[in-house]
Amino acid sequence: MVATTGLPAPETTRPRSLLVGTMFSCAAAFMFFCGVIGVYILKRAEARGEGAEWFPEGAVELGPSGFIFWTLVLSVFTVQWAVQAINADDRVNAYVALALTGLFGAAIFNQMWFIINDTGFALAADNAQFLFFVVNGTFIVFLIAAVVFVALTTVRALAGQFGPRRAEAVSSAAVAWNTVVFMWAVVYYLIYITK
C-alpha cells in the first residue's frame, strides 16, 4: 500500500459566487420588470375596455424600436463571443467583443433618446404616455446597469484579471446583458408591436 500523505493538495476551485449572485439579481430585476409590464398591460386593457384610444395614431413608430431589437440581437453574439474568447485565453478577441458590446449599448441609448423625443409624449399627459415613460425608463435603468457591468468587466479584463480559469465575471456580465436583451424583446412586442 502506498502512502498518500506526500501527494500535493488538489487545486482549490473558486466558488462561482459572482455568477450565482448575478443570476439571482437578474431574476429579481426581471420579476420587477414583469410587475411594471403587468401594470402597463392592465391599464391598457382597461382603457381599451372603455373604448379609449391608448396611443395617438402614428405616435409610436415600429422602425426605431426595431433597430434597437436587432442591435440587441447582435449584442448577444458579441457578449457570448467575449465569454468564448476569455475561456479560450484569447484576450484580444475578448477585449474587442466586450468593447463592441459596450458600443451597442451606447447605440441603444442614442436610439432610445430618439424614440422618446420622436413620440412627443409628455410625462403628465395621460395614463398611456406616463406608462410609456415608466416602462421605457425601467428598461433604460436596467440597460445602464448592464452597460456599467460590461464596462467594469472590460476594465478588469484589460488589467489581466481574467483567463480560462477565472472567466466568471465575463460570464456574469453576459448573463446580465442577455437578461436586458430579453427585457427589450418583451417591451418591443408589448409596446411597439401590439401598441
Side-chain angles (χ1 to χ4, degrees):
M1 178 157 281
V2 179
T4 59
T5 56
L7 296 176
E11 184 176 324
T12 57
T13 57
R14 186 167 181 219
R16 297 179 151 258
S17 55
L18 179 61
L19 185 59
V20 172
T22 301
M23 287 179 178
F24 278 119
S25 299
C26 288
F30 189 71
M31 286 191 299
F32 176 80
F33 184 74
C34 286
V36 171
I37 288 291
V39 170
Y40 176 85
I41 292 171
L42 177 68
K43 294 299 181 183
R44 183 175 68 181
E46 287 175 359
R48 287 184 178 168
E50 296 169 0
E53 182 181 46
W54 186 245
F55 289 137
E57 186 66 33
V60 178
E61 296 181 25
L62 190 58
S65 58
F67 291 136
I68 292 177
F69 177 76
W70 289 111
T71 302
L72 284 169
V73 168
L74 287 172
S75 73
V76 168
F77 290 102
T78 59
V79 80
Q80 291 307 129
W81 174 25
V83 172
Q84 183 276 331
I86 206 71
N87 283 324
D89 204 20
D90 184 359
R91 295 188 179 281
V92 173
N93 276 318
Y95 303 152
V96 170
L98 287 168
L100 276 175
T101 305
L103 276 171
F104 283 139
I108 293 161
F109 285 123
N110 183 39
Q111 195 64 36
M112 286 299 296
W113 182 261
F114 173 80
I115 288 173
I116 289 170
N117 286 329
D118 187 51
T119 59
F121 287 171
L123 194 57
D126 62 14
N127 229 4
Q129 294 181 26
F130 174 73
L131 287 173
F132 176 84
F133 282 110
V134 169
V135 172
N136 283 296
T138 303
F139 169 76
I140 290 170
V141 167
F142 289 129
L143 179 63
I144 289 169
V147 168
V148 167
F149 198 164
V150 168
L152 291 174
T153 303
T154 304
V155 169
R156 289 183 64 195
L158 288 169
Q161 294 183 2
F162 306 132
R165 293 182 183 263
R166 295 192 63 197
E168 180 187 6
V170 180
S171 298
S172 298
V175 167
W177 189 266
N178 291 333
T179 302
V180 170
V181 170
F182 188 68
M183 286 178 185
W184 180 256
V186 172
V187 170
Y188 180 56
Y189 178 74
L190 291 176
I191 292 183
Y192 295 95
I193 293 178
T194 62
K195 294 185 178 71

